[in-house]
Amino acid sequence: QVQLVESGGGLVQPGGSLRLSCAVSGSIFSINVMGWYRQAPGKQRELVAIINNRDSTNYADSVKGRFTISRDNAKNTMYLQMNSLKPEDTAVYYCNALNFLSGASWGQGTQVTVSS
């Protein structure tokens, strides 16, 4: 399994943008699917976006058209570009990496707060 470290969270006003990064310790090429999840206070963790090793992506309906997931294999890093942020996007965002044989790894999370 790999180790994951998220960064890039913070406080932003509604309508603003943030870019989250997930640094992978270990080979990113060993990962079949990577994703971003989020968990708001009092709510269950939910899927935000996923990307596979062929760069095929999928998004939650709530973020389609606003968020973009990508991965840079040369930098061993995955990103989540978040635009047009809304207060309901406030949550702790987690990076996830899945290897079909060895299982899943999680990062420690990074807080995103959207507020005026």
Side-chain angles (χ1 to χ4, degrees), residues 33-86:
V33 182
M34 295 192 74
W36 288 97
Y37 292 73
R38 67 186 181 187
Q39 187 166 18
K43 294 187 177 181
Q44 288 189 334
R45 190 172 297 188
E46 64 176 3
L47 173 67
V48 176
I50 55 172
I51 183 169
N52 67 14
N53 53 11
R54 296 183 180 183
D55 287 340
S56 177
T57 59
N58 205 355
Y59 297 89
D61 287 343
S62 59
V63 307
K64 279 182 182 176
R66 301 188 297 123
F67 291 10
T68 302
I69 189 172
S70 62
R71 55 192 280 175
D72 186 332
N73 293 337
K75 295 183 178 180
N76 261 21
T77 304
M78 178 180 67
Y79 303 98
L80 184 68
Q81 178 66 43
M82 305 186 294
N83 299 327
S84 301
L85 282 160
K86 304 175 181 180

Side-chain angles (χ1 to χ4, degrees), residues 7-22:
S7 62
L11 173 64
V12 63
Q13 292 186 343
S17 298
L18 281 175
R19 187 176 80 156
L20 305 183
S21 298
C22 173

